[in-house]
Amino acid sequence: MSVQERKQRERAERERLIVATARELAEQQGWDAVTTRRLAERIEYSQPVLYSHFRGKREIIGAVALEGAAEMAAAVRAATSSANSPRDRVAALARAYLDFAARNPAVYDALFQLDGGLAYAQEDTPEPLKDAFAALLECLAEVAGDGVHPGLFTEVFWASLHGLATLTRAGRLLPEDAEPRVELLVDRLAMV
C-alpha cells in the first residue's frame, strides 16, 4: 500500500469516526450537544482536524443524514421483500419507516428536521436521499391507483408517515393506537 493510499484510508476512517461520534452524541443528548469542541474531545483529535473533514456542524448533520438515508432504505427494502401482497408490502413499509424513526430519532432529525446542507427533490440531490425515496416508490407505485402519478402518491404517503412519526415522538398521539393508525393509512390512503 502506498503512502497516499494509507493516508486516504486513515482520512476516511477519521471521517467515519467523526460521523459515528456525532450520531452517538446526538442520540444520547440531542443535536444541541454536538459541537466541534465536544467531538474533538471525544475522538481525541484537535478541532482543526475536524474542520479538515467538515466545515462545521451543518456538514456533519448532512453526513449523518446521508448515512441514515441508506439505512432507512435498507430497512424498508428488507421489511417489504418478504411481503406476499401489495397490502402487506405497504403495511410493512409503513411499520419499517415508523420503527426507523422511533429507533433513530437523531438520525431522523438529521434527515428531515435539521439543515444538513443537502438538496432534496432536486437534480443535485445526493444518491442516498434519492435511493431512500426510491425504496418508498418501489413499493407504493403499485398501489398509487389509476391516473395518479406514483411519485406524487409516494410524497403524500411519505408525508403522512412523517406526520405520524413526528407527532408520536412528540407525545401528541396515543401510543396504543399506533397499529390502528398504520392499518387506517394503508387501507384508506393506499386503498389496498
Side-chain angles (χ1 to χ4, degrees):
M1 175 181 303
S2 73
V3 172
Q4 183 178 0
E5 289 173 330
R6 181 182 53 78
K7 286 183 179 186
Q8 287 175 340
R9 187 187 76 232
E10 289 171 355
R11 180 173 175 76
E13 288 172 10
R14 271 193 314 274
E15 197 165 293
R16 279 191 295 276
L17 178 61
I18 293 166
V19 171
T21 304
R23 182 176 174 167
E24 179 184 322
L25 188 56
E27 291 291 1
Q28 292 170 353
Q29 299 176 30
W31 278 104
D32 287 342
V34 179
T35 64
T36 53
R37 185 179 60 67
R38 289 187 80 189
L39 286 173
E41 289 171 2
R42 283 209 174 188
I43 65 172
E44 299 178 344
Y45 282 104
S46 68
Q47 283 182 312
V49 170
L50 263 73
Y51 285 117
S52 74
H53 291 274
F54 300 99
R55 286 182 281 191
K57 183 176 176 177
R58 182 179 186 221
E59 285 189 3
I60 294 170
I61 290 169
V64 170
L66 293 176
E67 188 176 271
E71 292 171 10
M72 187 177 74
V76 165
R77 286 186 175 113
T80 59
S81 68
S82 61
N84 295 322
S85 70
R87 186 195 188 288
D88 290 346
R89 277 188 288 285
V90 173
L93 176 149
R95 288 184 194 103
Y97 183 98
L98 294 171
D99 183 58
F100 180 86
R103 284 185 297 103
N104 305 283
V107 172
Y108 193 81
D109 285 349
L111 269 164
F112 302 119
Q113 306 284 54
L114 302 173
D115 179 9
L118 303 173
Y120 285 78
Q122 297 177 26
E123 280 188 38
D124 61 340
T125 298
E127 279 306 313
L129 299 178
K130 288 180 181 179
D131 189 52
F133 185 79
L136 302 177
L137 180 64
E138 290 162 9
C139 179
L140 294 169
E142 69 180 321
V143 299
D146 293 337
V148 178
H149 187 280
L152 183 62
F153 179 78
T154 300
E155 289 173 348
V156 171
F157 198 89
W158 170 33
S160 298
L161 289 173
H162 177 69
L164 289 175
T166 56
L167 290 170
T168 298
R169 185 164 141 207
R172 305 292 198 272
L173 301 175
L174 295 171
E176 60 267 20
D177 290 335
E179 187 57 28
R181 277 187 212 98
V182 168
E183 294 297 320
L184 182 62
L185 182 65
V186 171
D187 290 340
R188 296 295 171 93
L189 188 57
M191 296 196 302
V192 288

